[in-house]
Amino acid sequence: MILNHQIHLNEAATVENPLVFIHGLFGSLSNLGMLARAYYESHSVIQIDVRNHGHSAHTAEMNYAAMAADILETLDALNIHKFSAIGHSMGGKISMQLANQAGQRLEQLVILDMAPFAYQESHHEQIFKALFAVENAQIESRQQATQIMREYLHEEMVIQFLMKSFNKGQWLFNVDALFNHYSEILDWKVIPPWPKEALFIRGGKSAYISKDEHFSAIKQQFPNANIQCIEDAGHWLHAEKTQQVLDEMNQYLH
């Protein structure tokens, strides 16, 4: 599947090794924009809507092998062979799967607050309830949708993030597919070690990279990984502490 994307070509930089930014669950290509824009002057940059999100196609299939294949098919259509990937949350797992499916093509890898690990706990039960409630209400007003969301969710930042994907009375993401495949989104199938250096940036207040098993999973599959912590940041570390995340990325990316 060729995905909806935005490409920012930098004439001073080569297009042969662009930075590919891959968003997380319920997101869209604009979500990592505060990071992507910081590289417009030094790199060619591609921002992508993954399947069932943003303006990319909806499909019943939703797993990491397919989502990584979508990225590669899109890059092939752009005649791009070598690339580097920056992925947040679910987008981090897609990026890590790229190391498995196209390890020779992947030059550098930045993972934001996600481990190559099969998580058991659901973080999104209330979000799905809110999304389905808005769908079932069959409304077009953003104000009405926001009011319904507030009956289920109490973090205004989360509500506003989700509302970015509400357009003309519909969610841009495929709620049914995401709900039906949520266990696969949490899951992870261990990949062979990727030998290149990788950068993992975790939020100090986030649970996603916090346990011994998370760190051991990273070291098993990415033995040359450098793991950095952004203090006082949660799962949305790139939005909460943008400059600190960029500082870590700048030390790694070439």
Side-chain angles (χ1 to χ4, degrees), residues 106-189:
L106 186 62
E107 293 283 287
Q108 292 190 285
L109 181 64
V110 178
I111 306 298
L112 302 176
D113 209 53
M114 181 56 56
F117 182 81
Y119 295 91
Q120 301 300 319
E121 59 276 4
S122 168
H123 295 275
H124 301 95
E125 187 176 341
Q126 284 300 113
I127 288 178
F128 278 117
K129 287 181 180 178
L131 299 178
F132 281 122
V134 171
E135 269 195 348
N136 294 335
Q138 296 185 321
I139 54 171
E140 293 205 7
S141 160
R142 293 181 65 84
Q143 185 177 1
Q144 289 176 297
T146 302
Q147 288 174 340
I148 292 172
M149 298 282 279
R150 287 178 180 145
E151 295 174 18
Y152 297 86
L153 304 170
H154 306 295
E155 294 181 69
E156 194 63 26
M157 188 180 89
V158 174
I159 293 171
Q160 294 307 316
F161 161 70
L162 293 166
M163 288 304 298
K164 288 181 180 179
S165 292
F166 187 75
N167 184 47
K168 298 178 181 177
Q170 293 184 322
W171 295 114
L172 291 177
F173 39 70
N174 184 346
V175 182
D176 287 332
L178 301 185
F179 181 77
N180 292 336
H181 294 280
Y182 185 67
S183 61
E184 292 172 71
I185 294 168
L186 290 179
D187 198 17
W188 179 255
K189 293 176 173 57

Coordinates of all heavy atoms in Angstrom, one line a residue, residues 106-189:
L106 N 17.9 0.4 6.1 CA 17.8 1.3 7.2 C 19.1 1.7 7.7 O 19.9 0.9 8.2 CB 17.0 0.6 8.3 CG 16.5 1.4 9.5 CD1 15.6 2.5 9.1 CD2 15.9 0.5 10.6
E107 N 19.4 3.0 7.7 CA 20.7 3.6 8.1 C 20.7 3.9 9.6 O 21.7 3.4 10.3 CB 21.0 4.9 7.3 CG 21.2 4.6 5.8 CD 22.5 4.1 5.5 OE1 23.5 4.8 5.6 OE2 22.6 2.9 5.2
Q108 N 19.8 4.6 10.1 CA 19.7 5.0 11.5 C 18.3 4.8 12.0 O 17.3 4.9 11.2 CB 20.2 6.4 11.7 CG 21.7 6.6 11.4 CD 22.2 7.9 11.8 OE1 22.0 8.9 11.2 NE2 23.0 7.9 12.9
L109 N 18.2 4.6 13.3 CA 16.9 4.3 13.9 C 16.7 5.1 15.2 O 17.6 4.9 16.1 CB 16.8 2.8 14.1 CG 15.5 2.2 14.7 CD1 14.3 2.5 13.8 CD2 15.7 0.8 15.0
V110 N 15.7 5.9 15.3 CA 15.3 6.6 16.5 C 14.0 6.1 17.0 O 13.0 6.3 16.3 CB 15.4 8.1 16.4 CG1 15.0 8.8 17.7 CG2 16.7 8.6 15.9
I111 N 13.9 5.6 18.2 CA 12.6 5.1 18.8 C 12.2 6.0 20.0 O 13.0 6.1 20.9 CB 12.8 3.6 19.2 CG1 13.3 2.8 18.0 CG2 11.4 3.1 19.7 CD1 12.4 2.8 16.8
L112 N 11.0 6.5 19.9 CA 10.5 7.4 21.0 C 9.6 6.6 21.9 O 8.5 6.3 21.4 CB 9.9 8.6 20.4 CG 10.7 9.5 19.5 CD1 9.9 10.6 18.9 CD2 11.9 10.0 20.2
D113 N 10.0 6.3 23.1 CA 9.2 5.7 24.1 C 8.4 4.5 23.7 O 7.2 4.4 23.9 CB 8.2 6.8 24.7 CG 7.9 6.5 26.2 OD1 8.9 6.4 27.0 OD2 6.8 6.4 26.5
M114 N 9.2 3.5 23.3 CA 8.6 2.2 22.9 C 9.7 1.2 22.9 O 10.8 1.4 22.5 CB 7.9 2.3 21.5 CG 7.3 1.0 21.1 SD 6.0 0.3 22.2 CE 4.8 1.7 22.4
A115 N 9.4 0.0 23.4 CA 10.3 -1.1 23.4 C 9.8 -2.2 22.5 O 8.6 -2.3 22.2 CB 10.4 -1.7 24.9
P116 N 10.8 -3.1 22.0 CA 10.4 -4.2 21.2 C 9.9 -5.3 22.1 O 10.5 -6.3 22.4 CB 11.7 -4.6 20.5 CG 12.7 -4.2 21.4 CD 12.2 -3.0 22.1
F117 N 8.6 -5.1 22.6 CA 8.1 -5.9 23.7 C 6.6 -6.1 23.5 O 5.9 -5.2 23.1 CB 8.4 -5.2 25.0 CG 8.0 -5.8 26.3 CD1 8.8 -6.8 26.8 CD2 6.8 -5.5 26.9 CE1 8.4 -7.5 28.0 CE2 6.4 -6.1 28.1 CZ 7.2 -7.1 28.6
A118 N 6.1 -7.3 23.9 CA 4.7 -7.5 23.9 C 4.0 -7.0 25.2 O 4.1 -7.7 26.2 CB 4.4 -9.0 23.6
Y119 N 3.4 -5.9 25.1 CA 2.8 -5.3 26.3 C 1.5 -6.0 26.6 O 0.8 -6.4 25.6 CB 2.5 -3.8 26.1 CG 3.8 -3.0 26.0 CD1 4.4 -2.7 24.7 CD2 4.5 -2.5 27.1 CE1 5.5 -2.0 24.6 CE2 5.6 -1.7 27.0 CZ 6.1 -1.5 25.7 OH 7.3 -0.7 25.6
Q120 N 1.1 -6.2 27.8 CA -0.1 -6.8 28.2 C -1.2 -5.9 28.6 O -2.4 -6.1 28.4 CB 0.2 -7.8 29.4 CG 1.2 -8.8 29.1 CD 0.9 -9.8 28.0 OE1 -0.3 -10.2 27.8 NE2 1.8 -10.1 27.1
E121 N -0.8 -4.8 29.2 CA -1.8 -3.9 29.8 C -2.4 -2.9 28.7 O -1.7 -2.4 27.8 CB -1.3 -3.0 30.9 CG -0.1 -2.2 30.6 CD 1.3 -2.9 30.7 OE1 1.3 -4.1 30.9 OE2 2.3 -2.3 30.4
S122 N -3.7 -2.7 28.7 CA -4.4 -1.8 27.8 C -4.3 -0.4 28.3 O -4.6 -0.2 29.5 CB -5.8 -2.3 27.6 OG -6.5 -1.2 26.9
H123 N -3.9 0.5 27.5 CA -3.9 1.9 27.8 C -5.0 2.7 27.2 O -5.1 3.9 27.4 CB -2.5 2.5 27.4 CG -1.3 2.0 28.2 ND1 -0.9 2.4 29.4 CD2 -0.5 1.0 27.8 CE1 0.1 1.8 29.8 NE2 0.4 0.9 28.9
H124 N -5.8 2.0 26.4 CA -6.7 2.8 25.5 C -8.2 2.4 25.6 O -8.9 2.7 24.7 CB -6.2 2.6 24.0 CG -4.8 3.1 23.8 ND1 -3.7 2.3 23.9 CD2 -4.3 4.3 23.5 CE1 -2.6 3.0 23.6 NE2 -2.9 4.2 23.4
E125 N -8.5 1.7 26.6 CA -9.9 1.2 26.7 C -10.9 2.4 26.7 O -11.9 2.4 25.9 CB -10.1 0.4 28.0 CG -11.4 -0.3 28.1 CD -11.5 -1.2 29.3 OE1 -10.5 -1.6 29.9 OE2 -12.7 -1.5 29.7
Q126 N -10.6 3.4 27.5 CA -11.5 4.5 27.6 C -11.5 5.3 26.3 O -12.5 5.9 25.9 CB -11.1 5.4 28.7 CG -11.6 4.9 30.1 CD -13.1 4.7 30.2 OE1 -13.6 3.6 30.3 NE2 -13.8 5.8 30.2
I127 N -10.4 5.4 25.6 CA -10.3 6.1 24.3 C -11.2 5.4 23.3 O -12.0 6.1 22.6 CB -8.9 6.2 23.8 CG1 -8.1 7.1 24.7 CG2 -8.8 6.6 22.3 CD1 -6.6 7.3 24.3
F128 N -11.2 4.1 23.2 CA -12.1 3.4 22.3 C -13.5 3.7 22.6 O -14.4 3.9 21.7 CB -11.8 1.9 22.2 CG -10.6 1.5 21.4 CD1 -9.5 1.0 21.9 CD2 -10.6 1.8 20.0 CE1 -8.4 0.6 21.1 CE2 -9.5 1.4 19.2 CZ -8.4 0.8 19.8
K129 N -13.9 3.7 23.9 CA -15.3 4.0 24.3 C -15.7 5.3 23.8 O -16.8 5.5 23.3 CB -15.4 3.8 25.8 CG -15.4 2.4 26.3 CD -15.5 2.4 27.9 CE -15.5 1.0 28.4 NZ -15.6 1.0 29.9
A130 N -14.8 6.3 24.0 CA -15.1 7.7 23.5 C -15.2 7.8 22.0 O -16.2 8.4 21.5 CB -14.0 8.6 24.0
L131 N -14.3 7.1 21.3 CA -14.4 7.2 19.8 C -15.7 6.6 19.3 O -16.3 7.1 18.4 CB -13.2 6.5 19.2 CG -11.8 7.0 19.6 CD1 -10.7 6.2 19.0 CD2 -11.7 8.5 19.2
F132 N -16.0 5.4 19.8 CA -17.3 4.7 19.4 C -18.5 5.6 19.8 O -19.5 5.6 19.0 CB -17.4 3.3 20.0 CG -16.5 2.3 19.3 CD1 -15.5 1.6 19.9 CD2 -16.7 2.1 17.9 CE1 -14.8 0.6 19.3 CE2 -15.9 1.1 17.2 CZ -14.9 0.4 17.9
A133 N -18.5 6.2 20.9 CA -19.6 7.1 21.3 C -19.8 8.2 20.4 O -20.9 8.5 20.0 CB -19.3 7.6 22.8
V134 N -18.7 8.8 19.9 CA -18.8 9.9 18.9 C -19.4 9.4 17.6 O -20.2 10.0 17.0 CB -17.5 10.6 18.7 CG1 -17.5 11.6 17.6 CG2 -17.1 11.3 20.0
E135 N -18.8 8.2 17.2 CA -19.3 7.6 16.0 C -20.8 7.3 16.0 O -21.6 7.6 15.1 CB -18.6 6.3 15.7 CG -17.3 6.4 14.9 CD -16.9 5.1 14.3 OE1 -17.3 4.0 14.7 OE2 -16.0 5.1 13.4
N136 N -21.3 6.7 17.1 CA -22.7 6.3 17.3 C -23.6 7.5 17.4 O -24.8 7.4 17.0 CB -22.8 5.4 18.5 CG -22.1 4.1 18.3 OD1 -21.9 3.6 17.2 ND2 -21.7 3.5 19.5
A137 N -23.1 8.7 17.8 CA -23.9 9.9 17.9 C -24.2 10.5 16.6 O -25.2 11.3 16.5 CB -23.2 10.9 18.8
Q138 N -23.4 10.1 15.6 CA -23.6 10.6 14.2 C -23.8 12.1 14.1 O -24.8 12.7 13.6 CB -24.9 9.9 13.6 CG -24.7 8.4 13.4 CD -25.8 7.8 12.7 OE1 -27.0 8.1 12.9 NE2 -25.5 6.8 11.8
I139 N -22.8 12.8 14.7 CA -22.8 14.3 14.7 C -21.7 14.8 13.8 O -20.8 14.0 13.4 CB -22.6 14.8 16.1 CG1 -21.3 14.1 16.7 CG2 -23.7 14.5 17.0 CD1 -20.8 14.7 18.0
E140 N -21.8 16.1 13.4 CA -20.8 16.7 12.6 C -20.0 17.8 13.3 O -18.9 18.2 12.9 CB -21.4 17.2 11.3 CG -21.9 16.1 10.4 CD -22.0 16.5 8.9 OE1 -21.5 17.6 8.6 OE2 -22.5 15.7 8.1
S141 N -20.6 18.3 14.4 CA -20.0 19.4 15.1 C -18.8 18.9 15.9 O -18.9 18.0 16.7 CB -21.0 20.0 16.0 OG -20.4 20.8 17.0
R142 N -17.7 19.7 15.8 CA -16.5 19.4 16.6 C -16.8 19.6 18.1 O -16.3 18.9 19.0 CB -15.3 20.2 16.2 CG -14.8 19.9 14.8 CD -13.6 20.7 14.4 NE -12.5 20.5 15.3 CZ -11.6 19.5 15.1 NH1 -11.7 18.7 14.0 NH2 -10.6 19.3 15.9
Q143 N -17.6 20.7 18.3 CA -17.9 21.0 19.7 C -18.7 19.9 20.4 O -18.4 19.5 21.5 CB -18.7 22.3 19.7 CG -19.0 22.8 21.2 CD -19.7 24.2 21.2 OE1 -20.0 24.7 20.1 NE2 -20.0 24.7 22.3
Q144 N -19.7 19.3 19.6 CA -20.5 18.2 20.2 C -19.6 17.0 20.4 O -19.7 16.3 21.4 CB -21.6 17.9 19.2 CG -22.7 18.9 19.2 CD -23.8 18.5 18.1 OE1 -23.5 18.5 17.0 NE2 -25.0 18.2 18.6
A145 N -18.7 16.7 19.5 CA -17.8 15.6 19.6 C -16.9 15.7 20.8 O -16.7 14.8 21.6 CB -17.0 15.4 18.3
T146 N -16.4 16.9 21.0 CA -15.5 17.2 22.1 C -16.3 17.0 23.4 O -15.7 16.4 24.4 CB -14.9 18.6 22.1 OG1 -14.2 18.7 20.8 CG2 -14.0 18.9 23.2
Q147 N -17.5 17.4 23.5 CA -18.3 17.2 24.7 C -18.5 15.8 25.0 O -18.4 15.3 26.2 CB -19.7 18.0 24.6 CG -19.6 19.5 24.6 CD -20.9 20.2 24.3 OE1 -21.8 19.6 23.7 NE2 -21.0 21.4 24.7
I148 N -18.8 15.0 24.0 CA -19.0 13.5 24.2 C -17.7 12.9 24.7 O -17.6 12.1 25.6 CB -19.4 12.9 22.9 CG1 -20.9 13.3 22.6 CG2 -19.4 11.3 23.0 CD1 -21.3 12.8 21.2
M149 N -16.6 13.3 24.1 CA -15.2 12.8 24.5 C -15.0 13.1 26.0 O -14.4 12.2 26.7 CB -14.1 13.4 23.7 CG -14.2 13.1 22.2 SD -13.7 11.5 21.7 CE -11.9 11.8 21.7
R150 N -15.4 14.2 26.5 CA -15.1 14.6 27.9 C -15.9 13.8 28.9 O -15.6 13.7 30.0 CB -15.4 16.1 28.1 CG -14.3 17.0 27.4 CD -14.7 18.5 27.6 NE -13.6 19.3 27.0 CZ -13.9 20.5 26.4 NH1 -15.1 20.9 26.3 NH2 -12.9 21.1 25.8
E151 N -16.9 13.1 28.4 CA -17.7 12.2 29.3 C -16.9 10.9 29.6 O -17.1 10.2 30.6 CB -19.0 11.8 28.6 CG -20.0 12.9 28.4 CD -21.2 12.5 27.7 OE1 -21.5 11.3 27.6 OE2 -21.9 13.4 27.1
Y152 N -15.9 10.6 28.7 CA -15.1 9.4 28.9 C -13.6 9.7 29.2 O -13.0 8.8 29.8 CB -15.1 8.6 27.5 CG -16.5 8.1 27.2 CD1 -17.4 8.9 26.4 CD2 -16.9 6.8 27.5 CE1 -18.6 8.5 26.1 CE2 -18.2 6.4 27.2 CZ -19.0 7.2 26.5 OH -20.3 6.8 26.1
L153 N -13.1 10.8 28.8 CA -11.7 11.1 29.0 C -11.6 12.4 29.8 O -12.3 13.4 29.6 CB -11.0 11.3 27.6 CG -11.1 10.1 26.7 CD1 -10.6 10.4 25.3 CD2 -10.4 8.9 27.2
H154 N -10.6 12.5 30.6 CA -10.4 13.6 31.5 C -9.1 14.4 31.3 O -8.8 15.3 31.9 CB -10.5 13.2 32.9 CG -11.8 12.4 33.2 ND1 -13.0 13.0 33.2 CD2 -12.0 11.1 33.5 CE1 -13.9 12.1 33.4 NE2 -13.3 11.0 33.7
E155 N -8.3 13.9 30.3 CA -7.0 14.6 29.9 C -7.3 15.4 28.7 O -7.5 14.9 27.6 CB -5.9 13.6 29.7 CG -5.5 12.8 30.9 CD -4.3 11.9 30.6 OE1 -3.2 12.4 30.4 OE2 -4.6 10.7 30.6
E156 N -7.3 16.7 28.9 CA -7.6 17.6 27.7 C -6.6 17.5 26.6 O -7.0 17.6 25.4 CB -7.7 19.1 28.2 CG -8.4 20.0 27.3 CD -9.8 19.7 27.0 OE1 -10.5 19.1 27.9 OE2 -10.3 20.1 25.9
M157 N -5.4 17.2 26.9 CA -4.4 17.1 25.9 C -4.7 15.9 25.0 O -4.5 15.9 23.8 CB -3.0 16.9 26.5 CG -1.9 16.9 25.5 SD -0.2 16.8 26.2 CE 0.0 15.0 26.2
V158 N -5.1 14.8 25.6 CA -5.5 13.6 24.9 C -6.7 13.8 24.0 O -6.7 13.4 22.8 CB -5.8 12.4 25.8 CG1 -6.3 11.2 25.0 CG2 -4.5 12.0 26.6
I159 N -7.7 14.5 24.5 CA -8.9 14.9 23.7 C -8.5 15.7 22.5 O -9.0 15.4 21.4 CB -9.9 15.6 24.6 CG1 -10.5 14.6 25.7 CG2 -11.1 16.1 23.8 CD1 -11.3 15.3 26.8
Q160 N -7.7 16.7 22.7 CA -7.4 17.6 21.6 C -6.5 16.9 20.6 O -6.6 17.1 19.4 CB -6.6 18.8 22.2 CG -7.5 19.8 23.0 CD -8.8 20.2 22.3 OE1 -8.8 20.5 21.1 NE2 -9.9 20.1 23.1
F161 N -5.7 16.0 21.0 CA -4.9 15.2 20.1 C -5.8 14.3 19.2 O -5.6 14.3 18.0 CB -3.9 14.3 20.9 CG -3.4 13.1 20.1 CD1 -2.5 13.3 19.1 CD2 -3.8 11.8 20.4 CE1 -2.0 12.2 18.4 CE2 -3.3 10.7 19.7 CZ -2.4 10.9 18.7
L162 N -6.8 13.6 19.8 CA -7.7 12.8 19.1 C -8.6 13.6 18.1 O -8.8 13.2 17.0 CB -8.6 12.0 20.0 CG -7.8 10.9 20.9 CD1 -8.7 10.5 22.0 CD2 -7.4 9.8 20.0
M163 N -9.0 14.8 18.6 CA -9.8 15.6 17.8 C -9.1 16.1 16.5 O -9.8 16.5 15.5 CB -10.3 16.8 18.6 CG -11.4 16.5 19.6 SD -12.8 15.6 19.0 CE -13.5 16.8 17.9
K164 N -7.8 16.1 16.4 CA -7.1 16.4 15.2 C -7.5 15.5 14.1 O -7.3 15.9 12.9 CB -5.6 16.4 15.4 CG -5.1 17.5 16.3 CD -3.5 17.4 16.4 CE -3.0 18.5 17.3 NZ -1.5 18.4 17.5
S165 N -8.0 14.3 14.4 CA -8.4 13.3 13.4 C -9.9 13.3 13.2 O -10.4 12.3 12.6 CB -7.8 12.0 13.7 OG -6.4 11.9 13.6
F166 N -10.6 14.3 13.7 CA -12.1 14.3 13.5 C -12.3 15.3 12.3 O -12.0 16.5 12.4 CB -12.8 14.8 14.7 CG -14.3 14.7 14.7 CD1 -14.9 13.5 14.7 CD2 -15.0 15.9 14.5 CE1 -16.3 13.5 14.7 CE2 -16.4 15.9 14.5 CZ -17.1 14.6 14.5
N167 N -12.9 14.8 11.2 CA -13.1 15.7 10.1 C -14.5 15.4 9.5 O -14.8 14.3 9.1 CB -12.0 15.4 9.0 CG -12.1 16.3 7.8 OD1 -12.3 17.5 8.0 ND2 -12.0 15.7 6.7
K168 N -15.3 16.5 9.4 CA -16.7 16.4 8.8 C -17.5 15.2 9.3 O -18.1 14.5 8.6 CB -16.5 16.2 7.2 CG -15.8 17.4 6.6 CD -15.7 17.2 5.1 CE -15.0 18.4 4.5 NZ -14.7 18.3 3.0
G169 N -17.5 15.1 10.7 CA -18.3 14.2 11.3 C -17.7 12.8 11.4 O -18.4 11.8 11.8
Q170 N -16.5 12.6 10.9 CA -15.9 11.2 10.9 C -14.5 11.2 11.4 O -13.8 12.2 11.3 CB -15.9 10.7 9.5 CG -17.3 10.4 8.9 CD -17.2 9.8 7.5 OE1 -16.4 10.1 6.7 NE2 -18.1 8.8 7.3
W171 N -14.1 10.1 12.0 CA -12.7 9.9 12.4 C -11.9 9.5 11.2 O -12.4 8.7 10.3 CB -12.6 8.8 13.4 CG -13.3 9.1 14.7 CD1 -14.4 8.5 15.3 CD2 -12.9 10.1 15.7 NE1 -14.7 9.0 16.5 CE2 -13.8 10.1 16.8 CE3 -11.9 11.1 15.7 CZ2 -13.7 10.9 17.8 CZ3 -11.8 11.9 16.8 CH2 -12.7 11.9 17.8
L172 N -10.8 10.2 11.0 CA -9.9 9.8 9.9 C -9.3 8.4 10.1 O -9.0 7.8 9.1 CB -8.8 10.9 9.7 CG -9.2 12.3 9.3 CD1 -8.0 13.2 9.2 CD2 -9.9 12.2 7.9
F173 N -9.1 8.0 11.3 CA -8.6 6.7 11.5 C -9.7 5.7 11.5 O -10.9 6.0 11.7 CB -7.7 6.5 12.8 CG -8.2 7.3 14.0 CD1 -9.4 6.9 14.6 CD2 -7.5 8.4 14.4 CE1 -9.8 7.6 15.7 CE2 -7.9 9.1 15.5 CZ -9.1 8.7 16.2
N174 N -9.4 4.4 11.2 CA -10.4 3.3 11.1 C -10.6 2.7 12.5 O -9.8 1.8 12.9 CB -9.8 2.3 10.1 CG -10.8 1.2 9.8 OD1 -11.7 1.0 10.5 ND2 -10.5 0.4 8.8
V175 N -11.5 3.2 13.2 CA -11.7 2.8 14.6 C -12.0 1.3 14.7 O -11.4 0.6 15.6 CB -12.9 3.6 15.2 CG1 -13.1 3.2 16.7 CG2 -12.7 5.1 15.1
D176 N -12.8 0.8 13.8 CA -13.1 -0.7 13.9 C -11.8 -1.5 13.7 O -11.6 -2.5 14.5 CB -14.1 -1.1 12.8 CG -15.5 -0.6 13.1 OD1 -15.8 -0.5 14.3 OD2 -16.3 -0.4 12.2
A177 N -11.0 -1.2 12.7 CA -9.8 -2.0 12.5 C -8.8 -1.8 13.7 O -8.2 -2.8 14.1 CB -9.1 -1.5 11.2
L178 N -8.7 -0.6 14.2 CA -7.8 -0.4 15.4 C -8.2 -1.2 16.6 O -7.4 -1.8 17.3 CB -7.6 1.0 15.7 CG -7.1 2.0 14.6 CD1 -6.9 3.4 15.1 CD2 -5.8 1.4 14.0
F179 N -9.5 -1.2 16.8 CA -10.1 -1.9 17.9 C -10.0 -3.4 17.7 O -9.5 -4.2 18.7 CB -11.6 -1.6 18.1 CG -12.3 -2.2 19.3 CD1 -12.1 -1.8 20.6 CD2 -13.1 -3.3 19.1 CE1 -12.7 -2.4 21.6 CE2 -13.7 -4.0 20.1 CZ -13.5 -3.5 21.4
N180 N -10.3 -3.9 16.6 CA -10.2 -5.4 16.3 C -8.8 -5.9 16.3 O -8.6 -7.1 16.6 CB -10.8 -5.7 14.9 CG -12.3 -5.4 14.9 OD1 -13.0 -5.5 15.9 ND2 -12.9 -5.2 13.7
H181 N -7.8 -5.1 16.0 CA -6.4 -5.5 16.0 C -5.6 -4.9 17.2 O -4.4 -4.9 17.1 CB -5.8 -5.2 14.7 CG -6.4 -5.9 13.5 ND1 -6.1 -7.2 13.2 CD2 -7.4 -5.6 12.6 CE1 -6.8 -7.6 12.2 NE2 -7.6 -6.6 11.8
Y182 N -6.3 -4.5 18.2 CA -5.5 -3.8 19.3 C -4.5 -4.8 19.9 O -3.4 -4.4 20.3 CB -6.5 -3.2 20.3 CG -5.8 -2.5 21.4 CD1 -5.2 -1.2 21.1 CD2 -5.8 -2.9 22.7 CE1 -4.6 -0.5 22.1 CE2 -5.2 -2.2 23.7 CZ -4.6 -1.0 23.4 OH -3.9 -0.3 24.4
S183 N -4.9 -6.0 20.1 CA -4.0 -7.0 20.7 C -2.7 -7.2 19.8 O -1.6 -7.4 20.4 CB -4.7 -8.4 20.9 OG -5.1 -8.9 19.6
E184 N -2.9 -7.1 18.5 CA -1.7 -7.2 17.6 C -0.8 -5.9 17.7 O 0.4 -6.0 17.6 CB -2.1 -7.4 16.2 CG -2.8 -8.7 16.0 CD -3.4 -8.9 14.6 OE1 -2.6 -9.0 13.6 OE2 -4.6 -8.9 14.5
I185 N -1.5 -4.8 18.0 CA -0.7 -3.5 18.2 C 0.1 -3.6 19.5 O 1.3 -3.1 19.5 CB -1.7 -2.3 18.2 CG1 -2.3 -2.2 16.8 CG2 -0.9 -1.0 18.5 CD1 -3.5 -1.2 16.7
L186 N -0.5 -4.2 20.5 CA 0.3 -4.3 21.8 C 1.4 -5.4 21.6 O 2.4 -5.3 22.3 CB -0.7 -4.8 22.9 CG -1.7 -3.8 23.4 CD1 -2.5 -4.4 24.5 CD2 -1.0 -2.5 24.0
D187 N 1.2 -6.3 20.8 CA 2.1 -7.5 20.7 C 3.4 -7.2 20.0 O 3.5 -6.1 19.4 CB 1.3 -8.6 19.9 CG 1.9 -10.0 20.1 OD1 2.7 -10.1 21.0 OD2 1.6 -10.9 19.3
W188 N 4.3 -8.1 20.0 CA 5.6 -8.0 19.3 C 6.2 -9.3 19.2 O 6.2 -10.1 20.1 CB 6.5 -7.1 20.1 CG 7.9 -6.9 19.4 CD1 9.1 -7.5 19.8 CD2 8.1 -6.1 18.3 NE1 10.0 -7.1 18.9 CE2 9.5 -6.3 18.0 CE3 7.4 -5.3 17.5 CZ2 10.1 -5.7 16.9 CZ3 7.9 -4.7 16.4 CH2 9.3 -4.9 16.1
K189 N 6.7 -9.6 18.0 CA 7.4 -10.9 17.7 C 8.8 -10.6 17.6 O 9.3 -9.7 16.8 CB 6.9 -11.5 16.4 CG 5.4 -12.0 16.5 CD 4.9 -12.5 15.2 CE 3.5 -13.1 15.4 NZ 2.5 -12.2 16.0

